[in-house]
Amino acid sequence: MRIAIDVSVLERTPATGVEKALLQLLRGLREHDAGHEYLLVAPRRPALLPGIDDPRFRFTELAGGRSRLMWRERLAPSFAHREGVAKGVVLPMVCA
């Protein structure tokens, strides 16, 4: 299954609860889930996004939106459709 995860919250520093939870989720998926492909997406590469040396994880920068709302409502769904991730489901987390 191809799963897209909105990692844009990792742009905020320092890491608080939401950011720490997402980092733990990514760590857990990397360590315990071998059967899926993960597309990590954000308007720009987040400062807190760890380097993940794993071919199942791929970061994609979806630049072009002037606002976060435009990014989430227009760019992210187009990306999900183009990548075969989901039908009509919008991030923060979408699955195929």
Side-chain angles (χ1 to χ4, degrees):
M1 181 181 338
R2 183 174 284 176
I3 301 168
I5 302 173
D6 175 0
V7 294
S8 62
V9 297
L10 298 178
E11 293 173 358
R12 289 177 263 185
T13 58
T16 60
V18 172
E19 294 84 4
K20 289 178 181 180
L22 181 54
L23 290 168
Q24 286 292 346
L25 173 66
L26 294 174
R27 187 174 298 117
L29 291 171
R30 188 177 69 237
E31 292 173 2
H32 302 289
D33 182 34
H36 304 295
E37 177 185 359
Y38 296 94
L39 307 175
L40 310 178
V41 295
R44 63 196 141 280
R45 185 166 186 90
L48 294 175
L49 184 64
I52 299 175
D53 187 26
D54 187 321
R56 297 172 301 141
F57 290 80
R58 175 173 52 109
F59 174 74
T60 300
E61 182 177 307
L62 294 179
R66 292 184 177 198
S67 72
R68 187 170 298 260
L69 179 62
M70 180 176 180
W71 182 82
R72 283 209 171 111
E73 296 298 323
R74 299 194 51 105
L75 297 176
S78 295
F79 168 80
H81 179 73
R82 194 172 52 248
E83 292 289 328
V85 173
K87 297 176 183 160
V89 179
V90 181
L91 301 173
M93 186 182 254
V94 293
C95 305

